[in-house]
Amino acid sequence: MKNENCIFCKIANGEIPSKTLYEDDLFRVILDLGPATKGHALILPKEHFANLYELPDDTAARAMILAKKMAALMKDRLGCDGLNVIQNNGETAGQTVFHFHMHLIPRYEDDGQKIGWEPGKPKEEELEEIRKRIVC
Ligand code: AMP
Ligand code: ZN
């Protein structure tokens, strides 16, 4: 299903032009127009899923396999020194386009980007309380 008001639906399905790196039946991979580094790319499913919670298992599996393929290509063709795979869900987590996408961000020793967080210092009891709430 496509969403008429979604720009990534239009890009993924070729209605809006993009710098396409790869396309198959389920996905289009494009260059991000506001790249963190040289080669920053986005994996877009052609169907509309707002986020990871909505993504079907088979599409999720294919997305990760595609991320692996693109990561190898980027290493080979761009000579990057590392790669971040980032996927934001919800405004609080930094999502700005509400069509599922995975960021592939090639990293270079001198790229000047900081992608990370301040590590916390939880007590053992806090970790255990959280573990009990999530464990499955
Ligand atoms: P997020 O913050 O995870 O939702 O990421 C959205 C990303 O989409 C950002 O990195 C934007 O630079 C990128 N972006 C937004 N519009 C376009 C577009 N039309 N073509 C390519 N990338 C886009
Ligand atoms: Zn969409």
PDB file of all heavy atoms in Angstrom, residues 1-13 45-50 97-100, ligand 2:
ATOM      1  N   MET A   1       0.837  -1.204   0.000  1.00  0.00           N
ATOM      2  CA  MET A   1       0.000   0.000   0.000  1.00  0.00           C
ATOM      3  C   MET A   1       0.871   1.252   0.000  1.00  0.00           C
ATOM      4  O   MET A   1       1.857   1.315   0.720  1.00  0.00           O
ATOM      5  CB  MET A   1      -0.876   0.032   1.268  1.00  0.00           C
ATOM      6  CG  MET A   1      -2.051  -0.913   1.224  1.00  0.00           C
ATOM      7  SD  MET A   1      -3.434  -0.257   0.298  1.00  0.00           S
ATOM      8  CE  MET A   1      -4.211   0.778   1.512  1.00  0.00           C
ATOM      9  N   LYS A   2       0.472   2.228  -0.817  1.00  0.00           N
ATOM     10  CA  LYS A   2       1.184   3.502  -0.813  1.00  0.00           C
ATOM     11  C   LYS A   2       0.363   4.531  -0.037  1.00  0.00           C
ATOM     12  O   LYS A   2      -0.840   4.397   0.106  1.00  0.00           O
ATOM     13  CB  LYS A   2       1.408   3.983  -2.248  1.00  0.00           C
ATOM     14  CG  LYS A   2       2.535   3.243  -2.942  1.00  0.00           C
ATOM     15  CD  LYS A   2       2.899   3.893  -4.241  1.00  0.00           C
ATOM     16  CE  LYS A   2       2.101   3.298  -5.394  1.00  0.00           C
ATOM     17  NZ  LYS A   2       2.229   4.063  -6.637  1.00  0.00           N
ATOM     18  N   ASN A   3       1.045   5.555   0.418  1.00  0.00           N
ATOM     19  CA  ASN A   3       0.373   6.645   1.118  1.00  0.00           C
ATOM     20  C   ASN A   3       0.510   7.890   0.233  1.00  0.00           C
ATOM     21  O   ASN A   3       1.626   8.326  -0.056  1.00  0.00           O
ATOM     22  CB  ASN A   3       1.051   6.825   2.493  1.00  0.00           C
ATOM     23  CG  ASN A   3       0.450   7.951   3.283  1.00  0.00           C
ATOM     24  OD1 ASN A   3       0.021   8.960   2.730  1.00  0.00           O
ATOM     25  ND2 ASN A   3       0.436   7.784   4.586  1.00  0.00           N
ATOM     26  N   GLU A   4      -0.610   8.424  -0.185  1.00  0.00           N
ATOM     27  CA  GLU A   4      -0.642   9.547  -1.140  1.00  0.00           C
ATOM     28  C   GLU A   4       0.148  10.767  -0.665  1.00  0.00           C
ATOM     29  O   GLU A   4       0.640  11.539  -1.472  1.00  0.00           O
ATOM     30  CB  GLU A   4      -2.097   9.976  -1.396  1.00  0.00           C
ATOM     31  CG  GLU A   4      -2.913   8.959  -2.185  1.00  0.00           C
ATOM     32  CD  GLU A   4      -2.285   8.623  -3.531  1.00  0.00           C
ATOM     33  OE1 GLU A   4      -1.849   9.553  -4.229  1.00  0.00           O
ATOM     34  OE2 GLU A   4      -2.200   7.422  -3.865  1.00  0.00           O
ATOM     35  N   ASN A   5       0.229  10.929   0.645  1.00  0.00           N
ATOM     36  CA  ASN A   5       0.876  12.138   1.184  1.00  0.00           C
ATOM     37  C   ASN A   5       2.330  11.910   1.575  1.00  0.00           C
ATOM     38  O   ASN A   5       2.926  12.779   2.213  1.00  0.00           O
ATOM     39  CB  ASN A   5       0.110  12.627   2.421  1.00  0.00           C
ATOM     40  CG  ASN A   5      -1.330  12.921   2.086  1.00  0.00           C
ATOM     41  OD1 ASN A   5      -1.602  13.568   1.073  1.00  0.00           O
ATOM     42  ND2 ASN A   5      -2.249  12.433   2.898  1.00  0.00           N
ATOM     43  N   CYS A   6       2.873  10.761   1.188  1.00  0.00           N
ATOM     44  CA  CYS A   6       4.208  10.396   1.682  1.00  0.00           C
ATOM     45  C   CYS A   6       5.261  10.573   0.590  1.00  0.00           C
ATOM     46  O   CYS A   6       5.205   9.921  -0.457  1.00  0.00           O
ATOM     47  CB  CYS A   6       4.181   8.949   2.174  1.00  0.00           C
ATOM     48  SG  CYS A   6       5.809   8.350   2.639  1.00  0.00           S
ATOM     49  N   ILE A   7       6.241  11.416   0.853  1.00  0.00           N
ATOM     50  CA  ILE A   7       7.280  11.690  -0.154  1.00  0.00           C
ATOM     51  C   ILE A   7       8.146  10.455  -0.421  1.00  0.00           C
ATOM     52  O   ILE A   7       8.552  10.206  -1.566  1.00  0.00           O
ATOM     53  CB  ILE A   7       8.143  12.914   0.247  1.00  0.00           C
ATOM     54  CG1 ILE A   7       9.101  13.264  -0.891  1.00  0.00           C
ATOM     55  CG2 ILE A   7       8.882  12.688   1.550  1.00  0.00           C
ATOM     56  CD1 ILE A   7       9.762  14.596  -0.797  1.00  0.00           C
ATOM     57  N   PHE A   8       8.398   9.650   0.597  1.00  0.00           N
ATOM     58  CA  PHE A   8       9.231   8.462   0.376  1.00  0.00           C
ATOM     59  C   PHE A   8       8.479   7.388  -0.416  1.00  0.00           C
ATOM     60  O   PHE A   8       9.113   6.620  -1.149  1.00  0.00           O
ATOM     61  CB  PHE A   8       9.771   7.906   1.695  1.00  0.00           C
ATOM     62  CG  PHE A   8      11.005   8.629   2.210  1.00  0.00           C
ATOM     63  CD1 PHE A   8      11.500   9.761   1.584  1.00  0.00           C
ATOM     64  CD2 PHE A   8      11.696   8.146   3.332  1.00  0.00           C
ATOM     65  CE1 PHE A   8      12.635  10.423   2.054  1.00  0.00           C
ATOM     66  CE2 PHE A   8      12.842   8.797   3.794  1.00  0.00           C
ATOM     67  CZ  PHE A   8      13.310   9.932   3.159  1.00  0.00           C
ATOM     68  N   CYS A   9       7.139   7.335  -0.315  1.00  0.00           N
ATOM     69  CA  CYS A   9       6.357   6.451  -1.197  1.00  0.00           C
ATOM     70  C   CYS A   9       6.592   6.862  -2.652  1.00  0.00           C
ATOM     71  O   CYS A   9       6.816   6.012  -3.519  1.00  0.00           O
ATOM     72  CB  CYS A   9       4.873   6.531  -0.883  1.00  0.00           C
ATOM     73  SG  CYS A   9       4.339   5.504   0.490  1.00  0.00           S
ATOM     74  N   LYS A  10       6.549   8.163  -2.888  1.00  0.00           N
ATOM     75  CA  LYS A  10       6.702   8.672  -4.261  1.00  0.00           C
ATOM     76  C   LYS A  10       8.120   8.422  -4.770  1.00  0.00           C
ATOM     77  O   LYS A  10       8.328   8.037  -5.918  1.00  0.00           O
ATOM     78  CB  LYS A  10       6.358  10.163  -4.318  1.00  0.00           C
ATOM     79  CG  LYS A  10       4.881  10.441  -4.062  1.00  0.00           C
ATOM     80  CD  LYS A  10       4.553  11.905  -4.348  1.00  0.00           C
ATOM     81  CE  LYS A  10       3.052  12.184  -4.307  1.00  0.00           C
ATOM     82  NZ  LYS A  10       2.497  12.218  -2.961  1.00  0.00           N
ATOM     83  N   ILE A  11       9.108   8.641  -3.926  1.00  0.00           N
ATOM     84  CA  ILE A  11      10.502   8.392  -4.337  1.00  0.00           C
ATOM     85  C   ILE A  11      10.728   6.901  -4.566  1.00  0.00           C
ATOM     86  O   ILE A  11      11.279   6.495  -5.599  1.00  0.00           O
ATOM     87  CB  ILE A  11      11.491   8.936  -3.276  1.00  0.00           C
ATOM     88  CG1 ILE A  11      11.433  10.465  -3.237  1.00  0.00           C
ATOM     89  CG2 ILE A  11      12.912   8.457  -3.559  1.00  0.00           C
ATOM     90  CD1 ILE A  11      12.251  11.097  -2.116  1.00  0.00           C
ATOM     91  N   ALA A  12      10.282   6.089  -3.623  1.00  0.00           N
ATOM     92  CA  ALA A  12      10.539   4.639  -3.708  1.00  0.00           C
ATOM     93  C   ALA A  12       9.913   4.043  -4.963  1.00  0.00           C
ATOM     94  O   ALA A  12      10.452   3.113  -5.559  1.00  0.00           O
ATOM     95  CB  ALA A  12      10.005   3.937  -2.464  1.00  0.00           C
ATOM     96  N   ASN A  13       8.771   4.610  -5.378  1.00  0.00           N
ATOM     97  CA  ASN A  13       8.067   4.070  -6.544  1.00  0.00           C
ATOM     98  C   ASN A  13       8.367   4.831  -7.834  1.00  0.00           C
ATOM     99  O   ASN A  13       7.701   4.634  -8.853  1.00  0.00           O
ATOM    100  CB  ASN A  13       6.566   4.016  -6.253  1.00  0.00           C
ATOM    101  CG  ASN A  13       6.255   2.947  -5.213  1.00  0.00           C
ATOM    102  OD1 ASN A  13       6.193   1.766  -5.546  1.00  0.00           O
ATOM    103  ND2 ASN A  13       6.112   3.333  -3.959  1.00  0.00           N
ATOM    104  N   PRO A  45      11.541   0.883   1.584  1.00  0.00           N
ATOM    105  CA  PRO A  45      10.603  -0.093   1.012  1.00  0.00           C
ATOM    106  C   PRO A  45       9.641   0.613   0.061  1.00  0.00           C
ATOM    107  O   PRO A  45       9.332   1.796   0.252  1.00  0.00           O
ATOM    108  CB  PRO A  45       9.842  -0.642   2.232  1.00  0.00           C
ATOM    109  CG  PRO A  45      10.260   0.138   3.402  1.00  0.00           C
ATOM    110  CD  PRO A  45      11.306   1.130   3.004  1.00  0.00           C
ATOM    111  N   LYS A  46       9.176  -0.098  -0.969  1.00  0.00           N
ATOM    112  CA  LYS A  46       8.235   0.515  -1.918  1.00  0.00           C
ATOM    113  C   LYS A  46       6.841   0.637  -1.320  1.00  0.00           C
ATOM    114  O   LYS A  46       6.070   1.501  -1.719  1.00  0.00           O
ATOM    115  CB  LYS A  46       8.220  -0.289  -3.227  1.00  0.00           C
ATOM    116  CG  LYS A  46       9.538  -0.138  -3.977  1.00  0.00           C
ATOM    117  CD  LYS A  46       9.546  -0.824  -5.316  1.00  0.00           C
ATOM    118  CE  LYS A  46      10.848  -0.476  -6.044  1.00  0.00           C
ATOM    119  NZ  LYS A  46      10.954  -1.115  -7.357  1.00  0.00           N
ATOM    120  N   GLU A  47       6.527  -0.240  -0.382  1.00  0.00           N
ATOM    121  CA  GLU A  47       5.247  -0.125   0.336  1.00  0.00           C
ATOM    122  C   GLU A  47       5.404   0.818   1.513  1.00  0.00           C
ATOM    123  O   GLU A  47       6.496   0.947   2.061  1.00  0.00           O
ATOM    124  CB  GLU A  47       4.817  -1.491   0.863  1.00  0.00           C
ATOM    125  CG  GLU A  47       4.009  -2.303  -0.125  1.00  0.00           C
ATOM    126  CD  GLU A  47       3.299  -3.463   0.577  1.00  0.00           C
ATOM    127  OE1 GLU A  47       2.418  -3.222   1.412  1.00  0.00           O
ATOM    128  OE2 GLU A  47       3.671  -4.602   0.273  1.00  0.00           O
ATOM    129  N   HIS A  48       4.290   1.397   1.916  1.00  0.00           N
ATOM    130  CA  HIS A  48       4.342   2.342   3.038  1.00  0.00           C
ATOM    131  C   HIS A  48       4.195   1.630   4.376  1.00  0.00           C
ATOM    132  O   HIS A  48       3.158   1.026   4.661  1.00  0.00           O
ATOM    133  CB  HIS A  48       3.238   3.400   2.916  1.00  0.00           C
ATOM    134  CG  HIS A  48       3.301   4.420   4.013  1.00  0.00           C
ATOM    135  ND1 HIS A  48       4.112   5.528   3.945  1.00  0.00           N
ATOM    136  CD2 HIS A  48       2.694   4.479   5.222  1.00  0.00           C
ATOM    137  CE1 HIS A  48       3.982   6.239   5.060  1.00  0.00           C
ATOM    138  NE2 HIS A  48       3.126   5.612   5.859  1.00  0.00           N
ATOM    139  N   PHE A  49       5.241   1.712   5.186  1.00  0.00           N
ATOM    140  CA  PHE A  49       5.194   1.311   6.590  1.00  0.00           C
ATOM    141  C   PHE A  49       5.775   2.490   7.347  1.00  0.00           C
ATOM    142  O   PHE A  49       6.857   2.965   6.997  1.00  0.00           O
ATOM    143  CB  PHE A  49       6.033   0.058   6.844  1.00  0.00           C
ATOM    144  CG  PHE A  49       5.700  -1.083   5.917  1.00  0.00           C
ATOM    145  CD1 PHE A  49       6.578  -1.434   4.892  1.00  0.00           C
ATOM    146  CD2 PHE A  49       4.515  -1.783   6.053  1.00  0.00           C
ATOM    147  CE1 PHE A  49       6.270  -2.471   4.016  1.00  0.00           C
ATOM    148  CE2 PHE A  49       4.195  -2.816   5.182  1.00  0.00           C
ATOM    149  CZ  PHE A  49       5.077  -3.167   4.166  1.00  0.00           C
ATOM    150  N   ALA A  50       5.074   2.970   8.350  1.00  0.00           N
ATOM    151  CA  ALA A  50       5.510   4.202   9.013  1.00  0.00           C
ATOM    152  C   ALA A  50       6.827   4.008   9.754  1.00  0.00           C
ATOM    153  O   ALA A  50       7.635   4.941   9.838  1.00  0.00           O
ATOM    154  CB  ALA A  50       4.433   4.689   9.980  1.00  0.00           C
ATOM    155  N   VAL A  97      10.867  11.658   8.638  1.00  0.00           N
ATOM    156  CA  VAL A  97      10.032  11.192   7.525  1.00  0.00           C
ATOM    157  C   VAL A  97       9.407   9.874   7.977  1.00  0.00           C
ATOM    158  O   VAL A  97      10.134   8.906   8.276  1.00  0.00           O
ATOM    159  CB  VAL A  97      10.857  10.992   6.233  1.00  0.00           C
ATOM    160  CG1 VAL A  97       9.933  10.534   5.102  1.00  0.00           C
ATOM    161  CG2 VAL A  97      11.581  12.285   5.838  1.00  0.00           C
ATOM    162  N   PHE A  98       8.065   9.855   8.001  1.00  0.00           N
ATOM    163  CA  PHE A  98       7.370   8.748   8.654  1.00  0.00           C
ATOM    164  C   PHE A  98       6.996   7.643   7.670  1.00  0.00           C
ATOM    165  O   PHE A  98       5.845   7.216   7.577  1.00  0.00           O
ATOM    166  CB  PHE A  98       6.199   9.299   9.482  1.00  0.00           C
ATOM    167  CG  PHE A  98       6.727  10.182  10.589  1.00  0.00           C
ATOM    168  CD1 PHE A  98       6.898  11.549  10.378  1.00  0.00           C
ATOM    169  CD2 PHE A  98       7.152   9.635  11.784  1.00  0.00           C
ATOM    170  CE1 PHE A  98       7.447  12.359  11.371  1.00  0.00           C
ATOM    171  CE2 PHE A  98       7.709  10.437  12.789  1.00  0.00           C
ATOM    172  CZ  PHE A  98       7.859  11.800  12.575  1.00  0.00           C
ATOM    173  N   HIS A  99       8.013   7.218   6.946  1.00  0.00           N
ATOM    174  CA  HIS A  99       8.001   6.052   6.066  1.00  0.00           C
ATOM    175  C   HIS A  99       9.279   5.315   6.436  1.00  0.00           C
ATOM    176  O   HIS A  99      10.379   5.899   6.327  1.00  0.00           O
ATOM    177  CB  HIS A  99       8.003   6.521   4.603  1.00  0.00           C
ATOM    178  CG  HIS A  99       8.136   5.450   3.562  1.00  0.00           C
ATOM    179  ND1 HIS A  99       7.204   5.259   2.555  1.00  0.00           N
ATOM    180  CD2 HIS A  99       9.112   4.547   3.333  1.00  0.00           C
ATOM    181  CE1 HIS A  99       7.596   4.273   1.765  1.00  0.00           C
ATOM    182  NE2 HIS A  99       8.769   3.822   2.222  1.00  0.00           N
ATOM    183  N   PHE A 100       9.160   4.057   6.859  1.00  0.00           N
ATOM    184  CA  PHE A 100      10.329   3.321   7.332  1.00  0.00           C
ATOM    185  C   PHE A 100      11.527   3.507   6.390  1.00  0.00           C
ATOM    186  O   PHE A 100      11.379   3.415   5.166  1.00  0.00           O
ATOM    187  CB  PHE A 100      10.002   1.820   7.424  1.00  0.00           C
ATOM    188  CG  PHE A 100      11.198   0.975   7.757  1.00  0.00           C
ATOM    189  CD1 PHE A 100      11.496   0.682   9.068  1.00  0.00           C
ATOM    190  CD2 PHE A 100      12.038   0.499   6.753  1.00  0.00           C
ATOM    191  CE1 PHE A 100      12.618  -0.072   9.395  1.00  0.00           C
ATOM    192  CE2 PHE A 100      13.163  -0.254   7.064  1.00  0.00           C
ATOM    193  CZ  PHE A 100      13.447  -0.540   8.394  1.00  0.00           C
TER     194      PHE A 100
HETATM  195 ZN    ZN B   2       5.351   6.152   2.421  1.00  0.00          ZN
END
